Every structure is written in structure tokens, then in C-alpha cells.
Amino acid sequence: MKISTLAQQLINTYQRGFPLCSRPFLQLAEQFNVSENEVINCLEQLEQSGVLSRLGAVFNHQQAGASTLAALKVSAQKLDKIAAIVTSFTGVNHNYAREHEYNLWFVITASDQSQLEQTIVAIEQATQYQVLVLPMEKSFHIDLAFTIDFEHENKQNAAVKNNATLRVDSLIDQGIKV
Amino acid sequence: MNNQQAISPLERQYILLTQQGLPLCAKPYHAIAEQLNISVQQTLAITKSLLDRGVIRRIAAVPNHYKIGYIFNGMTTWDIQDDKAIEYGEKIGKLDFVSHCYLRPRHLPQWNYNLFAMIHAKDATQLEKYKAQIKEILSDVLQTHQGKSHSVLNSTKILKKTGLRLNKKRS
């Protein structure tokens, strides 16, 4: 996938601090010496190709509602089935299979603590597994906002192809928070 | 967070409307204002207030790191001394390859790790290097409640991944 210079600049400059004004794309256009339309088109293409999951606010789950990290210890042959049940809950917004005794990891969000607890109970009932509940007690670094290294593009693509064990069934959106 | 102002119904509507991103048009906040039936100034003020209160962490171009080649992520988990947890958590959170770093409760005997650090890399070797770097920093405070002082839970499969999704208000 070829990522244009403008796209790289936009992504690496605006992992935070996107201008808060009525014509934000115009401001970006002036900064990068292109037209407002070019900025908008570039971002549109990035969203369509999936390189950008979105442009906008990254919300703090703790303050916008309640959330917790949670895990299940599922027998290997049941993993897909149980994972599908967990994913079907609307409050579950990340769900990863991981290499560990606790092999299914997900984040549960809810509008408040009591709804969160209800969801945990509902997941336990639906899966018949006890949920390991690991709420955040303190956070040291909460943003996935590191500088992207756009080099070695070809190497990465080869790596994706060669990595047969890593199957991505549904990469719906992004905003890694786990 | 004692003096945290509660989220108003209007702000909640704003969150519901914008949690999937800003509309990509010349005047995105006008589009939101129209849908909320308020002025652009009010919309910008709400956004600023949510930012100032930390409800919005940042306004950003949020890349899909997987698509850009960061296909290896590891959730590293560590059992470190409680009285040193904040001091060392801060050190780990500052590493530029760590995207998230949290303290979480132990659940003994099933779960003895209290420090979580998410690391991202483009290949397995890089991921290993990052893990070793964290281990080195934590070497003085690592402990073992049950045999192991740390564990790296590599992801084998992404099953679902979305940004924050608040449910529509229940009636």
C-alpha cells in the first residue's frame, strides 16, 4: 500500500492536537501548503483504505462511562464459539485471542458501573465461564500515539503474507485501548 | 477526579454523534451543530469543554496500526512490588514503544500480574527486544507470587476492535 507524503504528514502530525475551529482542514492545508480539498480527499482515501480508522475525538472510557479489561480461560476447541458470543455484546469493544491460559481478552464498556456489572454477569451466563475482571487502577500512558515508521513498507507486506497464524477475521475499527 | 463535571444530555448526544469520527467536509463542526440543533460556537465550546475535562483525550487522525504494518502486539504483564508500582509504571509508560500502561488488581491465585504494558512492533524480533528492555528496567522490582514474574500475551487473533461505543440511551 502506497501512502503519500501528505498522508504521512497528516497522520504523524495529527495523532493529537487536531485543530478545533470551524475550518480545521483549511488550517491543515495552509500548514502543508496544499488545498483544503486535497487534505479532505487524502483523509477520505485513508479512511476508505482503512489506514485511518477515523479522524476525530478519542474518548476516555473511564470518564465517558465505565469500562474494564476482562479475560476468559476457554478450552481451545471452544475458543471460536465463545469468542463469537463475547463479540456479540455491544459493550465489548475489543476482543483478542491471546497466547496464555487466559486466552480471550476483551474490554467491556458501559454507560455506568452498574450497567458494566450487569454486562459482566450477562457474559458469564451466556458463556458459562467466569470472567476475570481487571479494571484500570492507574494509568501511566493511555494513548496509542507514537510516531509511525512508514519505512520498510515492503518488508511488512511480506510479513503479513507469511504470518499464517495471525488471522484477522474482523478488523472493524481501531482505537487500541486494551 | 472529584470535581469532575458530569456529562450533560447534550454532551452525551455529541459523543454519540462523533464517536465514529468527524465528517470529512470543509465545515465538520457545522454539520454536527446542525444535527444537534445548536450553533457552531456551542459545538466548538462543548468539544473544548470535553477536552479540558479529559472526557476527550485528544482529537486525532487515528491510524489503524495493523494496516500500517504494526501487526505484532504484545500485552506484557508483570508482577512488581506494590510500593514501587507507581514509580516504575511511570518509567514504563514513558517508553515510546509502549502505547498503554496500567496498574490493575491482582486476582490471586489465578492472576498475579499488576502492571500491564502494551507494546507494538512490526516484527517478532522487535517485539522481543522491547520486552527485554522492559524486563531490564523492572529487574529490581519484579517479584513472583506464583512462580512467574511476568508474561507476554501475544495476540493471535483480532476478533473485534472498535472505538468507544456508548449505547444509545435506554428509555
Side-chain angles (χ1 to χ4, degrees):
Chain A
M1 190 189 325
K2 191 155 169 17
I3 298 176
S4 71
T5 310
L6 176 61
Q8 296 187 17
Q9 284 174 324
L10 289 171
I11 294 173
N12 266 338
T13 314
Y14 286 105
Q15 289 203 44
R16 55 174 60 256
F18 184 79
L20 183 52
C21 60
S22 71
R23 299 284 289 275
F25 301 113
L26 184 62
Q27 193 173 320
L28 267 50
E30 281 163 4
Q31 182 180 354
F32 297 119
N33 220 2
V34 292
S35 74
E36 187 181 28
N37 262 336
E38 277 174 275
V39 170
I40 292 173
N41 289 340
C42 177
L43 291 168
E44 240 166 27
Q45 276 172 23
L46 287 173
E47 279 194 1
Q48 273 162 19
S49 63
V51 171
L52 267 194
S53 357
R54 67 178 186 282
L55 181 128
V58 176
F59 289 95
N60 179 343
H61 293 217
Q62 299 293 330
Q63 288 193 32
S67 73
T68 187
L69 177 66
L72 294 179
K73 196 191 292 186
V74 181
S75 61
Q77 63 270 32
K78 281 194 184 166
L79 185 61
D80 284 345
K81 188 179 148 222
I82 298 296
I85 295 173
V86 171
T87 293
S88 72
F89 281 83
T90 50
V92 170
N93 67 6
H94 293 73
N95 193 6
Y96 284 87
R98 292 190 181 276
E99 294 164 342
H100 189 268
E101 194 185 359
Y102 278 97
N103 49 359
L104 193 62
W105 289 80
F106 46 97
V107 173
I108 312 170
T109 59
S111 53
D112 57 40
Q113 189 62 31
S114 91
Q115 206 202 336
L116 183 68
E117 280 158 22
Q118 283 172 30
T119 308
I120 293 167
V121 171
I123 290 173
E124 289 187 331
Q125 282 170 351
T127 60
Q128 293 294 305
Y129 280 97
Q130 200 188 343
V131 177
L132 178 68
V133 180
L134 299 169
M136 183 187 87
E137 288 182 331
K138 176 148 182 64
S139 142
F140 302 106
H141 186 151
I142 42 171
D143 279 330
L144 188 84
F146 53 83
T147 304
I148 308 285
D149 171 17
F150 282 104
E151 286 167 27
H152 312 112
E153 203 69 35
N154 297 328
K155 196 175 133 200
Q156 304 156 17
N157 291 340
V160 172
K161 281 176 199 133
N162 293 337
N163 194 337
T165 54
L166 208 151
R167 292 177 289 146
V168 181
D169 282 358
S170 64
L171 193 61
I172 301 168
D173 192 357
Q174 178 102 358
I176 304 171
K177 304 251 164 31
V178 189
Chain B
M1 296 181 201
N2 334 335
N3 51 4
Q4 209 49 242
Q5 201 184 320
I7 293 168
S8 75
L10 181 62
E11 286 171 337
R12 201 183 160 76
Q13 257 183 291
Y14 172 96
I15 294 173
L16 283 171
L17 207 59
T18 58
Q19 61 189 350
Q20 294 183 55
L22 282 175
L24 295 180
C25 56
K27 297 177 174 176
Y29 291 103
H30 285 68
I32 297 165
E34 222 167 85
Q35 292 196 60
L36 290 175
N37 212 8
I38 57 175
S39 71
V40 181
Q41 268 58 43
Q42 261 178 297
T43 309
L44 292 169
I46 287 175
T47 314
K48 179 152 194 321
S49 167
L50 291 172
L51 260 173
D52 290 345
R53 284 146 60 200
V55 178
I56 294 176
R57 281 190 194 135
R58 57 194 166 104
I59 302 176
V62 182
N64 179 335
H65 289 86
Y66 194 92
K67 279 257 177 179
I68 303 173
Y70 288 83
I71 59 169
F72 290 84
N73 82 65
M75 183 171 72
T76 70
T77 62
W78 310 82
D79 186 351
I80 65 169
Q81 293 167 25
D82 286 313
D83 60 339
K84 302 275 187 187
I86 290 179
E87 182 191 337
Y88 279 79
E90 272 164 9
K91 286 185 189 183
I92 301 304
K94 281 190 189 128
L95 297 171
D96 63 6
F97 53 84
V98 170
S99 64
H100 301 78
C101 186
Y102 299 118
L103 285 183
R104 299 187 188 275
R106 292 191 184 85
H107 286 270
L108 297 171
Q110 306 101 296
W111 188 259
N112 61 308
Y113 307 116
N114 56 341
L115 182 72
F116 285 61
M118 285 293 304
I119 57 180
H120 301 265
K122 290 188 172 181
D123 57 55
T125 320
Q126 202 180 9
L127 201 69
E128 273 306 305
K129 259 190 231 162
Y130 290 160
K131 189 195 90 182
Q133 228 173 304
I134 296 179
K135 193 177 174 189
E136 171 77 32
I137 295 169
L138 294 177
S139 59
D140 291 339
V141 292
L142 277 179
Q143 56 184 15
T144 56
H145 273 93
Q146 5 232 288
K148 282 178 85 180
S149 63
H150 65 278
S151 187
V152 178
L153 287 72
N154 292 330
S155 68
T156 52
K157 201 169 179 181
I158 300 169
L159 302 151
K160 184 175 187 180
K161 187 183 277 180
T162 56
L164 171 67
R165 297 285 181 271
L166 288 184
N167 294 331
K168 293 258 153 53
K169 198 158 194 170
R170 291 160 299 163
S171 50

